[in-house]
Amino acid sequence: MIKFDSSYINTIIEKNFIICIGVFAIIPFLVISIYNNPSADDFCYNIISQKYGYWQANLFAYNNWNGRYLTSFILTIKSFVSDSFIVYKFIPIVLFSLLFFSIYYVFAIFFERIEKRYILTFGFFIMTMYLIQMPSISQGFYWLPSSISYQLSNILSVTFFYFLLKFIKEKKTKHLLISCLIVGYVIGCNETSMLLINFLIVTIFVYISINNKKVEKSFLILLIFVITYSIIVFIAPGNSARSSVFSNNHQFVYSVLNSFIDFKKYILYWLPFIIIFVLYYFNNFSLIKDSFYSKLFNVNPFVVFITVFSIPIIGFFPGYWSLGGPPPLRVINTIYFFFLMGFMYFTFVLYFYLKEKEVTFIKFSNWVNYLIVLLILIKLTSNNNIKTAYADLFSGQAYHYDLELKKRYQLIDQASQNTVKVSKLKNEPKTIFFDDITSDSEDWRNDCYDNYFNREITIENAK
């Protein structure tokens, strides 16, 4: 008679469940990248670069649109949107990879002696939590102006904290200098990341200075760099030109009030699943015989809690202040990422704080653990970004979307007349589709499209 060893099965599940879920979550987003195509501002940046040349194009963007200097430097690289768009299709894959490894290495800073499997588990944990609840996948990874402005800023932010934590641990000047350099890249991506980084660095500077009862000179230097980079973004002439397009902006009370309203709305949406997944994660993390306590967690939990839950409020504010309305979903993607990473840091701080006081943080029976696993599986199979990505792939919608556009490009290329009517797209996969041209020849999207293909192109029979 074969003996059923439930403890062995339990061990396998505990060790590999999150990694398996993470791989399952990421795969469709990597595969679907091959069907991605440029749209909207993608063609605009290419045209600006062709018209003015690379450096003049960046100066034009700074003076006429915004102060995002790093974003402009990257988006005006013509080869990103050219030929058969092969480079464009691979950019999301690069961003996914960089995001995962940046998370992996920053976690490794906290636990240098822990098994790599546990570090991988954390990386897949964050990626799954991020992908399943981020407001817009298409704006997060597949539409280039957004992915460079916001997703790259997330990657650079994690990389920045990696070197900052290295400096805190090892006190090597080179790590401080690298931090000062990378934080400039973060600030040069978008205003939301800029504001959040300013907030976090000021908070860290004040906290460390109070704890040490003296001004921490190294962090003062970093703060000076942060402020300098922020001024470069803030004084850009393009900011005024851009803000003039939006009404009801620069209303302080309105902006603060709506920031709190959005905070409540999104926290109530994000937190339940985060907490469920965190409970499962720490129930298994606590099984490690030696959790390798790091002094980087030796922070007052209350201070961390207040800081982390301030992130969404501060993140929502620039949208209402500058746009006069709610921030775009691509901005909320970044707010969610900062909050998610911050919340995980808070849970580790709380975990070790309670452990030091010999209080059990989380410990469940197997049946409770099974229930949590069931809730996670229910969430994964409900309507969410991961399920949508698989649906876009298996339904063939992503494939036919790419095929439709290839036929359109061929039609435009072979057209004998300057004016070309193209069909409205029948397939618009939610994962990768962002925007398209319209039936209005005066529309700015059409104008960029026309200049890129050197034709007058409009949608026929557009509703």
Side-chain angles (χ1 to χ4, degrees), residues 236-262:
N239 290 328
S240 299
R242 189 183 186 192
S243 63
S244 64
V245 177
F246 304 100
S247 60
N248 200 38
N249 57 0
H250 297 173
Q251 302 293 320
F252 182 77
V253 175
Y254 166 83
S255 301
V256 171
L257 179 62
N258 280 280
S259 295
F260 275 95
I261 292 173
D262 276 358

Side-chain angles (χ1 to χ4, degrees), residues 1-13:
M1 183 176 179
I2 299 174
K3 185 178 181 181
F4 180 75
D5 188 352
S6 61
S7 63
Y8 176 75
I9 299 297
N10 290 340
T11 301
I12 294 296
I13 293 175

Side-chain angles (χ1 to χ4, degrees), residues 8 55 106 119 166 175 212 234 254 315 352 400 427 451 456:
Y8 176 75
W55 294 108
V106 81
I119 303 175
K166 288 275 283 185
H175 293 142
N212 296 341
F234 185 76
Y254 166 83
F352 286 107
H400 287 102
N427 296 277
N451 281 284
E456 292 182 12

Side-chain angles (χ1 to χ4, degrees), residues 103 122 125-134 267 270-271 273-275 277-278 308 311-312 333-347:
I103 294 168
F122 182 80
F125 171 84
I126 292 294
M127 290 296 289
T128 303
M129 287 301 312
Y130 184 47
L131 291 172
I132 202 169
Q133 293 194 141
M134 66 187 295
I267 287 297
W270 291 333
L271 265 186
F273 186 59
I274 291 178
I275 291 173
F277 219 154
V278 163
V308 170
I311 286 173
N333 286 344
T334 290
I335 296 170
Y336 175 51
F337 182 77
F338 270 81
F339 175 76
L340 176 61
M341 293 294 286
F343 187 83
M344 283 309 299
Y345 177 71
F346 165 70
T347 56

Side-chain angles (χ1 to χ4, degrees), residues 62 66-70 73 160 176-191 193-195 197-198 201 221-236 239:
Y62 185 80
N66 57 53
R68 302 174 184 177
Y69 48 84
L70 182 65
F73 285 153
F160 160 69
L176 177 63
L177 293 177
I178 295 173
S179 299
C180 291
L181 177 65
I182 295 176
V183 77
Y185 297 150
V186 177
I187 291 171
C189 283
N190 67 79
E191 297 79 13
S193 295
M194 176 188 76
L195 194 58
I197 285 293
N198 272 268
I201 295 304
I221 292 171
L222 176 61
L223 185 58
I224 291 171
F225 271 91
V226 168
I227 293 172
T228 302
Y229 292 132
S230 301
I231 290 173
I232 293 172
V233 172
F234 185 76
I235 64 173
N239 290 328

